[in-house]
Amino acid sequence: MPGACPKPPEPIEALSKARCGFLEVPENRSRPGGRTIKLAVAVIPAAAEKPAAEPVVFMAGGPGADTSDDIPFLVDSGLNKDRELIIMAQRGNLYDQPNLACPEVDRFNAQAVGLGYDAQQAEQLMLKAVKDCRRRLTADGVDLSAYNSTENAADFADLRKALDIPRWNVYGYSYGSNLALTYLRLHPEGIRAAAIDSIAPPQVVTLPWTWGSTAEGIHNIFEACAAQPACKDRYPDLPRMLTEQVRKLEAHPLTLNVTPPSGGKPVKTVLDGGA
């Protein structure tokens, strides 16, 4: 159904020329007759005067990343150079109905500043925030079990049919690569080509895998420093130095007054070991 385009806090130029609306789908396809949800959709025109017939559909990362935030990056990358670019907010996203945001967790993040990343009080506050959010959403009638990759993939299959597109090109980024692979497996019809970028493969659980990737990246920096005489002379034991600094800041967070990059009054900022 047609509708107004999202109006993010920082205006996105490409949305001023886009066709927008909502795709209405079942919340849980395994429960016929249940409630429906609405997913925000935007179709951004191709830059070329005579675009190719098959558009590109973008699957964002996260899971749960705000798809509209990616539009400037996608357009600057030329993704709509000679094809229409279609984006759809995955279920539960900011401009969807319902929007499953957790202000309880936002308030926790404000409370947690300076408590220390590993502090028991921070852990208790975080768990309470997550439980409070879950309790509220459940009480509102949200079927949280339906917010998953299988339903996400079916949403995109329904979108292609709703827009009457015979074939399109699929581009999945980060978690969107996982979603794209799920989509290809369950809904292979109507796909001209697929691209997966910054791959999060389906056989791994994303969160612990992310921590492992972070550790690998930091370890590579250590090795690079040890291999360069100038760096090694200045930082003979970089791993120990980093660990000491993290523990020091975790025990005694540092309070700074930081001037925003855009100017204005300094902002009180607390840096603990986790940060």
Side-chain angles (χ1 to χ4, degrees):
M1 63 185 73
C5 288
K7 290 182 170 54
E10 294 186 18
I12 296 173
E13 184 181 352
L15 283 176
S16 65
K17 303 173 184 176
R19 307 192 318 272
C20 297
F22 291 94
L23 176 72
E24 188 167 358
V25 296
E27 183 178 45
N28 191 331
R29 289 174 173 84
S30 67
R31 296 178 181 174
R35 75 177 198 162
T36 60
I37 60 177
K38 294 179 180 179
L39 311 179
V41 178
V43 180
I44 298 166
E49 289 185 12
K50 296 181 179 179
E54 299 93 350
V56 178
V57 62
F58 174 66
M59 297 181 177
D66 175 16
T67 315
S68 62
D69 283 351
D70 291 317
I71 294 175
F73 162 73
L74 298 170
V75 171
D76 289 347
S77 299
L79 211 62
N80 69 322
K81 180 181 177 182
D82 56 7
R83 300 179 188 275
E84 279 189 333
L85 170 62
I86 300 171
I87 67 158
M88 180 168 69
Q90 294 165 29
R91 45 180 52 211
N93 213 289
L94 176 60
Y95 298 108
D96 291 337
Q97 300 172 18
N99 159 22
L100 302 192
C102 280
E104 296 88 347
V105 176
D106 292 337
R107 289 193 290 270
F108 154 73
N109 288 330
Q111 284 181 287
V113 171
L115 289 179
Y117 187 78
D118 274 336
Q120 187 176 8
Q121 187 183 4
E123 180 181 347
Q124 290 170 346
L125 286 172
M126 182 185 72
L127 289 173
K128 182 180 185 303
V130 172
K131 288 178 180 178
D132 286 349
C133 180
R134 186 185 190 284
R135 194 177 298 116
R136 174 179 57 81
L137 293 174
T138 303
D140 287 344
V142 176
D143 181 358
L144 294 175
S145 70
Y147 293 78
N148 57 56
S149 297
T150 302
E151 294 285 3
N152 268 350
D155 294 340
F156 279 93
D158 284 352
L159 176 65
R160 184 183 67 82
K161 294 171 186 173
L163 294 176
D164 197 23
I165 297 172
R167 294 200 311 165
W168 63 8
N169 303 281
V170 177
Y171 173 39
Y173 170 76
S174 191
Y175 160 73
S177 70
N178 184 315
L179 177 56
L181 292 170
T182 303
Y183 176 74
L184 264 65
R185 187 174 71 251
L186 299 179
H187 307 278
E189 59 280 353
I191 298 171
R192 173 182 175 270
I196 49 177
D197 181 356
S198 305
I199 298 170
Q203 68 267 27
V204 301
V205 180
T206 304
L207 189 58
W209 180 57
T210 302
W211 283 110
S213 298
T214 304
E216 182 182 352
I218 294 173
H219 180 71
N220 288 342
I221 294 172
F222 294 158
E223 286 195 336
C225 183
Q228 297 176 17
C231 188
K232 186 176 182 180
D233 287 347
R234 186 168 183 179
Y235 305 107
D237 192 351
L238 193 55
R240 183 174 61 84
M241 179 182 179
L242 176 64
T243 300
E244 286 178 353
Q245 290 298 318
V246 168
R247 287 176 176 167
K248 181 179 177 182
L249 285 168
E250 191 69 357
H252 304 286
L254 186 64
T255 301
L256 307 165
N257 287 312
V258 181
T259 302
S262 57
K265 294 182 180 179
V267 176
K268 181 182 176 182
T269 306
V270 179
L271 182 68
D272 63 20

